[in-house]
């Protein structure tokens, strides 16, 4: 027989072609696994960054409302506080804002939509004027949009990754 050929169940095949196909398939699988790990790490970092940005945004809003609430509680004029909370609730991620006086009485309670308890995070802060506590502020916010966006990103990426892998085969 010539070099590079062998007999397998009555057929003559090129051994180089068979080995190179298996080798390429193994390389593609290794690349797919490696790409999946890199994609997962990148996705995790991206999601953590988005969650941190949301927390910072809610913290900034709460700081603004706290300072206005302190002035409003001291003067018993809540018009400006209501305007600011209405504007803050235009943010789709903020679910509710509640302001209480130092005795725990509700001064202001604004809700946006339905609260789904499993997906709600809450920040509770004292309302102070100087060192004196005048009440407290509760802001509830959701990461629902982040989760929806993440699900869409995962499905889209996996679909494209599968299509590329299928084309390479």
């Amino acid at each position: 027989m010539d070099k590079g050929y062998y007999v397998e169940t009555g057929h003559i095949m090129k051994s180089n072609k068979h080995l190179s196909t298996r080798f390429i398939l193994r390389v593609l699988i290794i690349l797919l696994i490696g790409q999946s790990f890199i994609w997962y790490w990148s996705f995790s970092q991206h999601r953590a960054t988005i969650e941190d940005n949301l927390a910072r945004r809610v913290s900034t809003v709460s700081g603004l409302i706290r300072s206005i609430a302190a002035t409003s509680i001291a003067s018993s004029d809540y018009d400006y506080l209501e305007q600011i909370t209405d504007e803050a609730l235009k943010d789709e991620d903020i679910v509710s804002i509640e302001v209480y006086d130092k005795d725990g009485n509700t001064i202001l309670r604004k809700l946006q939509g339905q609260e789904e308890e499993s997906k709600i995070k809450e920040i509770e802060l004292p309302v102070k004027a100087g060192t004196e506590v005048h009440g407290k502020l509760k802001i509830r916010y959701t990461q629902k949009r982040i989760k929806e966006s993440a699900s869409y990103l995962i499905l889209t990426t996996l679909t494209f990754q599968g299509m590329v892998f299928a084309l390479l085969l």
Side-chain angles (χ1 to χ4, degrees):
M1 295 231 153
D2 293 328
K3 289 194 242 178
Y5 292 94
Y6 70 96
V7 177
E8 182 181 276
T9 62
H11 297 287
I12 298 177
M13 298 179 68
K14 281 190 168 183
S15 61
N16 290 342
K17 184 177 181 183
H18 182 67
L19 288 175
S20 66
T21 303
R22 284 181 30 199
F23 174 75
I24 289 172
L25 185 60
R26 286 182 181 161
V27 168
L28 286 176
I29 290 171
I30 290 170
L31 287 174
L32 179 68
I33 291 169
Q35 182 182 5
S36 296
F37 282 123
I38 291 170
W39 173 80
Y40 176 76
W41 175 81
S42 175
F43 171 74
S44 297
Q45 294 298 317
H46 180 69
R47 183 175 176 160
T49 301
I50 291 172
E51 287 173 355
D52 288 345
N53 286 340
L54 175 59
R56 264 190 257 121
R57 196 170 71 229
V58 170
S59 179
T60 301
V61 167
S62 67
L64 176 65
I65 293 173
R66 277 175 51 192
S67 64
I68 294 168
T71 306
S72 294
I73 291 171
S75 68
S76 297
D77 181 13
Y78 305 111
D79 292 336
Y80 188 54
L81 180 62
E82 286 192 36
Q83 289 174 1
I84 292 297
T85 55
D86 286 340
E87 288 299 315
L89 283 173
K90 288 182 180 177
D91 185 330
E92 295 176 30
D93 297 319
I94 296 177
V95 176
S96 70
I97 300 172
E98 299 172 29
V99 180
Y100 301 93
D101 65 11
K102 64 182 174 185
D103 297 325
N105 299 318
T106 303
I107 293 174
L108 178 78
R109 180 181 165 117
K110 301 269 184 159
L111 299 172
Q112 171 177 275
Q114 297 291 329
E115 292 185 25
E116 296 175 29
E117 289 299 323
S118 62
K119 298 177 181 172
I120 300 293
K121 290 195 169 209
E122 182 177 283
I123 184 170
E124 187 174 317
L125 301 165
V127 174
K128 294 182 176 181
T131 58
E132 185 181 342
V133 176
H134 287 278
K136 78 178 166 185
L137 168 69
K138 280 187 189 179
I139 295 183
R140 290 185 182 89
Y141 63 100
T142 182
Q143 294 181 335
K144 183 180 176 183
R145 288 188 329 136
I146 293 173
K147 291 176 183 178
E148 289 171 355
S149 173
S151 297
Y152 176 76
L153 179 65
I154 288 171
L155 289 173
T156 304
T157 303
L158 289 177
T159 301
F160 284 135
Q161 191 173 11
M163 288 175 16
V164 168
F165 187 68
L167 286 174
L168 291 174
L169 291 177

